[in-house]
Amino acid sequence: MNILVLGGGGREHAITWALAKSPRTDKLYVAPGNGGTAGIAENVAHLKVDDGQAVLAFARDHNIDLVVIGPEAPLVAGVADVLRAAGIPAFGPDAEGAQLEGSKTFSKRFMDDHGIPTARYDSFTALEPALAYLRELGAPIVVKADGLAAGKGVIVAETEADAEAAVHSCFDGAFGDAGSTVLIEEFLTGPECSLLAFVSGGKAHCMATAQDHKRAFDGDRGPNTGGMGVYSPVPIVEPDELASMYEIMEKAATATAEVFEHDYRGVLYGGFMLTPVGPKMLEFNARFGDPETQVVLPRLETDLVDIALAVAEGRPDDINLRWSEQWAVSVVLASDGYPGPYEKGKVILGIEEAEQLEGVTVFHAGTTTNYDDELVTAGGRVLNVTALGDSFEEARERAYEACDLINFEGKQYRTDIGKRAAEGRQAWN
Ligand code: AMP
Ligand code: GLY
């Protein structure tokens, strides 16, 4: 089979790596890809991945049998709709389904309509009612821009003044059109846990749990980032919580079949908070998580091509997920300054040595090759150093051993990925 993957981050390297392992895969293309995908697939730098017609034309020219869509932007832009209408199997929901991520208001209504537990909220298009509502709820409180804001549109406000400022900045255009509708939400507490599911034909096949570390610095301090590290499974989730999370994902999948005009075919990402009264849904995403994918796929023993094609063709009963018993930990190596401004073009050394360690795979997030054919940094998050181990401790140790072997100027990373979870649930109290 010839397969095209859309996207160019660590998630897409992990997806491409998993697809490349399949005996069914002949030719793999990644658009735009990165320095890591270049080693296992053909990168297509010029393709406009948000343009359905351009993707369709490429797919036809290259006899593509399956398109796997990584990021949210092409999904929201309707790339899957165009491919499906032309008879090309696409892994990823159509534009309507992608609204579960593309519009927080749409997503919250979907949750309310189908009995999915979530934070109390209201949604506003004008300043005064928004301010009145937040005064009624009081701080701490959460302010969210409705649309896609590259992970930046959520402000957890400690004080009413901060919340008011956040509402003002949304309506003043800080997040562009994404902030013209504002959600104000009750503040929830508890550990967070991601549970992703393959969804097709109204059925959910849940993957393994994973937990991201959003803050830039050790001890969950500093600014929010796209994610600085992740592990799977999440040991602090109690069996009754996991059962409830599975039930919620299944309920959501059933609802997709009832509500959407076309079948939802892709990943549904459940971002849960494990509150004292049970798991609640913070958000849905319409795609694989980044960096969750970099620990979930290495633990997947089933052929990802078989799964992706079954999802894309609406054959959920053909999906049979098997998981490795091993633990996975992934540490993000970032550029100095990230998530603020940072320099690019720093030469990266030591990946081969790191990958010689047992269980270690290095996924590239922001890398490219320079004119001298050297691997260099090309983003804020540069590498996802993933290690498998027979215990949580072994996986963590291996990941950090590998991080020490890799070098580039300005390398920064958190040294406590998985530390709190290893200490147990009381570490969140
Ligand atoms: P989201 O993009 O909706 O997942 O929000 C980003 C982050 O903001 C989440 O991972 C949480 O850490 C935090 N957050 C979002 N909603 C809430 C909430 N209702 N209460 C507390 N924290 C929240
Ligand atoms: N890890 C968070 C996300 O993929 O949105």
Side-chain angles (χ1 to χ4, degrees), residues 192-205:
E192 288 178 51
C193 181
S194 307
L195 181 63
L196 285 62
F198 293 106
V199 172
S200 187
K203 294 194 176 161
H205 289 272

Side-chain angles (χ1 to χ4, degrees), residues 264-290:
Y264 186 105
R265 295 179 180 177
V267 171
L268 184 63
Y269 167 125
F272 286 91
M273 192 168 261
L274 307 178
T275 79
V277 294
K280 292 195 179 186
M281 190 67 74
L282 286 182
E283 62 162 352
F284 280 127
N285 290 319
R287 51 167 175 82
F288 274 113
D290 190 346

Side-chain angles (χ1 to χ4, degrees), residues 213 215-222 228 331 400 412-417 419:
H213 295 56
R215 301 293 200 96
F217 309 130
D218 282 6
D220 288 322
R221 289 173 218 281
M228 294 300 287
V331 179
Y400 279 111
Q412 62 145 328
Y413 59 98
R414 278 182 61 161
T415 64
D416 65 345
I417 300 305
K419 182 164 178 273

Side-chain angles (χ1 to χ4, degrees), residues 292-335:
E292 286 89 339
T293 308
Q294 291 89 305
V295 286
V296 168
L297 290 185
R299 299 188 55 229
L300 177 65
E301 287 177 345
T302 317
D303 186 319
L304 184 61
V305 174
D306 287 343
I307 300 169
L309 203 59
V311 168
E313 293 179 344
R315 296 183 282 106
D317 296 335
D318 293 344
I319 298 170
N320 174 23
L321 303 182
R322 286 186 317 277
W323 298 97
S324 148
E325 297 279 302
Q326 287 199 299
W327 295 76
V329 172
S330 183
V331 179
V332 173
L333 299 184
S335 300

